[in-house]
Amino acid sequence: MTVEAGTPAPGRVLVVGASAAGLCTVESLRRKGYAGEITVVGDEPHAPYDRPPLSKQVLSGAWEPERAALRTPELLADLKAALVLGDEAVALDPETRTVRTASGRALTADAVVIATGVRARTLPGAEDLAGVHVLRGLDDALALKRELVPGARLVVVGEGVLGSEIAATARTLGLAVTLTGPLAAPMALQVGPLVSGLLGELHREHGVDLRLGTGVTGLTGSGGRVTGVALATGETLPADVVVVAIGAAPATDWLADSGLRLDNGVVCDSRCRAAEGVYAVGDVARFHHEPYGRLVRLENRTNATEQATAVAGALLGEDRPYTPVPYFWTDQFDAKLQVHGLLPADADVEIVEGDPTARRFVARYTSAGAVTGVLGWNMPKQTRLRRQDVVDALPAPAPAPAPAH
């Protein structure tokens, strides 16, 4: 089910999700000369904003919330797209390409782009306790920021990218921070034992208490407010504030009756198409990556932009598979990490530039004799150059038929 070259452009495009991926789809369509009608539906009242700064600049207070906006009101108006904000999509009929919203709207288009992103996972009982937070949206960041008072005891549940970033930001604000999670070191799942071990050292040096390698069994509270985090070891970590950063699930509940294939996201072909005239983009899209020969879902800001450009092209009749080199970055304390490609847990890791003891290096990850990824720690230029090693090692494309729906 690939898009045929020369296919007429849809007269009306409906983008569901006023996210970075949704906005970039609109901008890419306009850049490519599309002059048709575009409508963007978003569940939040805010115009599209950037999420990576939420756990860093916005949370720390270095940025006012308005600075996270992706575009000025004037630039948004120039796109000539109708923004329907604060009205959540609740159903999709792929045959008629009609989206129904919580307020009762029925919006129909010739093509629908699903850009609803992900929703933060939480812990049972968290909704009943004040002081327990997740960090996914702007309102989440502002609510958490109000509670990050110097000297307060913060427990971050989840040692992945987001949890590690929040722990670092809160520590710089003067809170007593504990980071807990089932893995042995911060970001162990994302970067492997060598680099995660160095991140653990960095957090300890800055005063973060690492209680890792154990699961969380629940939360404790008193008077309706959280007081602690119970660990599988039997210990309870005292807390004035808790952040739950245990990952996110694709926001696909509203598509349950759509007939689309939903499996850790909206399943798409290599052109990001889930059904005739229906596409998915950003964190919610799980697409067939031809060089990898399997389905891939990427949760990062760079993918939102690159995939939006690909989807805009597909809507306008371009017939090219989307074959990105995955990329993400993180800033924690004085460490800036960039990752290109994939870093399998069993990969062989070689330092190809710099020195880990100086905390300036580039590591190359190799699996089955092929370079799968590179990671740079405070060496951005050198890391970008080494990205070519990943590109050169990509397997030949393996096309697959589009999923049934």
Side-chain angles (χ1 to χ4, degrees):
M1 189 193 292
T2 55
V3 179
E4 304 219 353
T7 300
R12 295 170 299 169
V13 174
L14 174 60
V15 179
V16 185
S19 56
L23 175 63
C24 289
T25 301
V26 176
E27 292 181 321
S28 296
L29 283 168
R30 294 304 192 209
R31 275 198 306 270
K32 292 173 180 289
Y34 179 70
E37 178 184 318
I38 303 177
T39 301
V40 180
V41 178
D43 62 345
E44 294 184 79
H46 310 292
Y49 59 86
D50 214 8
R51 295 186 190 274
L54 298 184
S55 59
K56 299 178 278 288
Q57 294 94 334
V58 173
L59 193 60
S60 70
W63 285 15
E64 291 300 317
E66 296 76 17
R67 190 170 171 184
L70 283 166
R71 300 293 180 264
T72 64
E74 294 76 18
L75 288 174
L76 286 177
D78 288 345
L79 292 172
K80 294 180 171 54
L83 293 179
V84 180
L85 302 177
D87 196 5
E88 184 177 8
V90 296
L92 166 66
D93 180 349
E95 297 299 324
T96 63
R97 291 178 283 284
T98 299
V99 170
R100 299 192 179 277
T101 70
S103 73
R105 285 185 175 94
L107 303 168
T108 300
D110 301 299
V112 173
V113 179
I114 299 167
T116 46
V118 295
R119 300 195 191 283
R121 294 189 174 97
T122 188
L123 292 172
E127 63 279 1
D128 300 324
L129 292 172
V132 182
H133 298 262
V134 295
L135 181 48
R136 175 61 190 166
L138 179 59
D139 292 337
D140 297 333
L142 297 179
L144 175 58
K145 181 177 180 293
R146 288 191 289 270
E147 297 218 58
L148 296 187
V149 180
R153 298 168 300 179
L154 170 69
V155 176
V156 180
V157 180
E159 74 295 272
V161 179
L162 181 60
S164 299
E165 289 181 348
I166 294 170
T169 299
R171 190 69 194 104
T172 63
L173 294 174
L175 281 82
V177 179
T178 301
L179 179 63
T180 188
L183 299 182
M187 289 178 53
L189 187 63
Q190 289 81 20
V191 298
L194 172 64
V195 176
S196 65
L198 294 172
L199 279 171
E201 292 176 8
L202 179 69
H203 277 256
R204 287 192 189 92
E205 288 170 8
H206 284 83
V208 176
D209 184 10
L210 299 182
R211 300 296 184 90
L212 301 174
T214 183
V216 168
T217 58
L219 303 171
T220 61
S222 177
R225 184 169 181 91
V226 72
T227 58
V229 175
L231 303 182
T233 59
E235 180 184 9
T236 296
L237 304 173
D240 302 306
V241 186
V242 172
V243 179
V244 180
I246 54 174
T252 58
D253 289 353
W254 67 285
L255 297 168
D257 296 325
S258 67
L260 298 180
R261 183 181 168 196
L262 307 176
D263 181 5
N264 185 28
V266 178
V267 178
C268 306
D269 65 11
S270 60
R271 275 67 175 170
C272 307
R273 184 158 69 165
E276 185 67 35
V278 179
Y279 296 78
V281 64
D283 296 359
V284 75
R286 189 167 178 230
F287 64 97
H288 179 74
H289 193 296
E290 290 190 0
Y292 292 151
R294 60 183 175 86
L295 292 171
V296 172
R297 188 173 69 82
L298 301 174
E299 290 185 27
N300 62 70
R301 181 65 178 78
T302 302
N303 176 66
T305 302
E306 294 179 348
Q307 195 169 24
T309 302
V311 166
L315 285 166
L316 300 181
E318 297 174 11
D319 185 19
R320 287 195 294 271
Y322 179 53
T323 58
V325 173
Y327 170 75
F328 76 89
W329 77 93
T330 181
D331 296 342
Q332 298 171 37
F333 301 112
D334 59 352
K336 296 182 180 296
L337 277 65
Q338 292 90 22
V339 174
H340 297 272
L342 302 176
L343 312 182
D346 60 351
D348 295 320
V349 183
E350 177 187 5
I351 304 302
V352 291
E353 294 197 44
D355 182 357
T357 61
R359 290 180 179 160
R360 287 191 76 251
F361 65 92
V362 178
R364 182 168 60 202
Y365 289 65
T366 305
S367 184
V371 177
T372 61
V374 294
L375 177 149
W377 183 311
N378 288 345
M379 294 188 83
K381 180 180 178 181
Q382 296 88 336
T383 308
R384 281 195 303 272
L385 293 173
R386 289 284 180 173
R387 175 185 183 277
Q388 190 59 42
D389 296 349
V390 182
V391 175
D392 292 343
L394 283 175
H405 66 276

